[in-house]
Amino acid sequence: MQPARRITLTDDVYAAVQALIMDHEVQPGARINIDALARRLAVSPTPVREALARLESDGLVSKTPLVGYTATPLLTRAQFEELVEMRLILEPTAAAKAAGAGLDAGELAGLRADADLPGPEGADAIAAFTAQDARFHHTLAGLSGNRMLHDAVVRLRAHLHLFRLHFPAAHYGVSAREHHRIVDAVTSGDPDAAAAAMRDHLTAARDRHLPFFESR
Amino acid sequence: MQPARRITLTDDVYAAVQALIMDHEVQPGARINIDALARRLAVSPTPVREALARLESDGLVSKTPLVGYTATPLLTRAQFEELVEMRLILEPTAAAKAAGAGLDAGELAGLRADADLPGPEGADAIAAFTAQDARFHHTLAGLSGNRMLHDAVVRLRAHLHLFRLHFPAAHYGVSAREHHRIVDAVTSGDPDAAAAAMRDHLTAARDRHLPFFESR
DNA sequence: CGATCAAAGATCCTATAGGATTTGCCACCG
DNA sequence: CGGTGGCAAATCCTATAGGATCTTTGATCG
């Protein structure tokens, strides 16, 4: 068993800054002051600097030499289209591979549990919905059996999560139903059906989110 | 015009450590001593630590808390299969998109120039071949027009480059011919043909590299 | 009145030092 | 002779301080 106390400050700082950006406590495009951030988290600038370097590779912050770090701006319409295209490349294949992997009952049960989405109640309904949606896609990619594919999907989710919090409301029931259709195809071991279900889900989600960009 | 002098040490250290690992000056799986590395590069540990954090996101080193960094071990057979599968997901799509992008003459000329591969002469023939091969795939992915797709392809190349240096000899002429077949398809604006040419190239390259794992 | 230049403030970048933890080695015991 | 416990060295991790650079503010000149 592992001790509960923290091991490295860098990991904590990394998670803290990630949460700060995800929750928009630091506005997209805003400058990030290293010293101020270190004081706020009650640590020295060194681990902060290290965490920011990792976050830069994740695409959540960008660095300008001798100027400082800035939070990545929100996705533009073009970047959103790229993101959807990228998901359409990766995730249907991941779903197909999961369907053909011969998963055991436990894995299928876990996936089915992740497919359910929280309802529109509660204070942080959008955040909760987004997190659970991410968890489902994340889990499914992991069940593909290809670690690199899994990592690529996870890397994309960060961007999506970031910009999604600005949506007023998601179509909770519809998304959950689409998720379960994917799970059914995976359970029955039909790769083509799983890929098709995922494709439909992604394009439908794309159409649901698109009106957001009209109002900007 | 930009001054020639270095701006940030971290970027230089990042490139230096990357070269060290690529050229196997640090053996795969070997521990990386931060202090020793800092002395060797004549800098302080702080920028070294920052560069290593970025390299960890790239997958070239892995960190164990309170123990240190280690160079990523060579690819196993299973990881190699995953890598090929990942390339087969990404790169044929990238080629198809480049073929349908309506590239101008200059872009096509640049791509065609990158398709040529250096011959088996010279001291670092393998390294030169690998670098040029990477440049071709890199350029093609960039011409797809999707920046995220481009980044994903580039991220994969690092692993490939790393493990490829252990191959005794590559099939120089064959690879170059396959490259040119891809360029031809892209030039004629045929997405399906471009994707097929890329698929054939990747599977052929896979078969050429596979004997390596038998002898381990 | 607008633009340019200079100086002050803030910030980043790098270096050095000390505390905490792990690892390797050696003696000791069963 | 093999296994266990403890000690010392090496290493990582964090904090603090100083030099270099950029941004901003204010004043001066055209």
Side-chain angles (χ1 to χ4, degrees), chain A residues 70-139:
Chain A
T70 59
T72 298
L74 252 56
L75 266 59
T76 64
R77 164 91 186 235
Q79 286 174 320
F80 175 71
E81 301 280 3
E82 283 192 3
L83 180 61
V84 172
E85 190 171 29
M86 195 67 189
R87 296 188 70 184
L88 281 170
I89 294 171
L90 295 174
E91 300 207 41
T93 306
K97 284 189 61 64
L103 303 177
D104 61 40
E107 291 169 324
L108 286 173
L111 181 64
R112 188 168 294 276
D114 283 338
D116 284 322
L117 296 171
E121 299 87 21
D124 294 330
I126 297 179
F129 173 88
T130 305
Q132 184 60 35
D133 181 61
R135 195 171 302 128
F136 171 71
H137 288 268
H138 185 130
T139 300

Side-chain angles (χ1 to χ4, degrees), chain B residues 1-214:
Chain B
M1 116 179 71
Q2 54 190 355
R5 49 187 294 268
R6 54 175 53 103
I7 299 296
T8 53
L9 279 184
T10 300
D11 292 342
D12 294 343
V13 173
Y14 176 83
V17 176
Q18 189 175 23
L20 253 53
I21 296 177
M22 293 286 198
D23 300 345
H24 287 85
E25 285 194 39
V26 291
Q27 290 293 327
R31 299 265 302 263
I32 296 178
N33 188 316
I34 293 181
D35 292 338
L37 190 59
R39 281 194 303 273
R40 178 172 176 177
L41 298 176
V43 296
S44 79
T46 306
V48 172
R49 173 173 291 277
E50 200 169 337
L52 286 174
R54 284 173 54 186
L55 286 165
E56 191 192 13
S57 284
D58 294 348
L60 282 179
V61 302
S62 70
K63 172 187 169 184
T64 309
L66 299 179
V67 172
Y69 287 92
T70 59
T72 298
L74 251 57
L75 266 59
T76 64
R77 164 90 186 237
Q79 287 174 319
F80 174 72
E81 300 280 2
E82 283 192 2
L83 179 62
V84 172
E85 189 171 30
M86 197 66 191
R87 295 188 70 185
L88 281 170
I89 295 171
L90 295 174
E91 299 206 40
T93 306
K97 284 188 60 64
L103 304 177
D104 61 41
E107 290 169 325
L108 286 172
L111 181 63
R112 188 169 294 278
D114 283 337
D116 285 321
L117 296 171
E121 299 87 20
D124 293 330
I126 296 180
F129 173 87
T130 305
Q132 183 60 35
D133 182 60
R135 196 171 300 127
F136 171 72
H137 287 269
H138 185 129
T139 300
L140 181 59
L143 294 177
S144 73
N146 188 324
R147 180 168 187 79
M148 293 186 188
L149 182 55
H150 176 250
D151 290 346
V153 171
V154 170
R155 192 176 299 275
L156 259 44
R157 298 297 304 178
H159 297 79
L160 186 57
H161 191 169
L162 172 63
F163 104 99
R164 251 192 161 178
L165 282 182
H166 272 207
F167 280 96
H171 300 59
Y172 299 87
V174 181
S175 291
R177 229 173 302 140
E178 292 170 357
H179 280 189
H180 278 289
R181 193 182 142 218
I182 297 170
V183 176
D184 291 340
V186 171
T187 302
S188 61
D190 187 340
D192 292 336
M198 176 62 84
R199 246 190 313 272
D200 292 344
H201 172 50
L202 292 176
T203 53
R206 171 187 176 281
D207 294 339
R208 284 197 291 271
H209 294 326
L210 215 52
F212 170 70
F213 291 99
E214 308 296 337

Side-chain angles (χ1 to χ4, degrees), chain A residues 188-199:
Chain A
S188 62
D190 187 340
D192 292 336
M198 177 62 83
R199 245 190 315 270

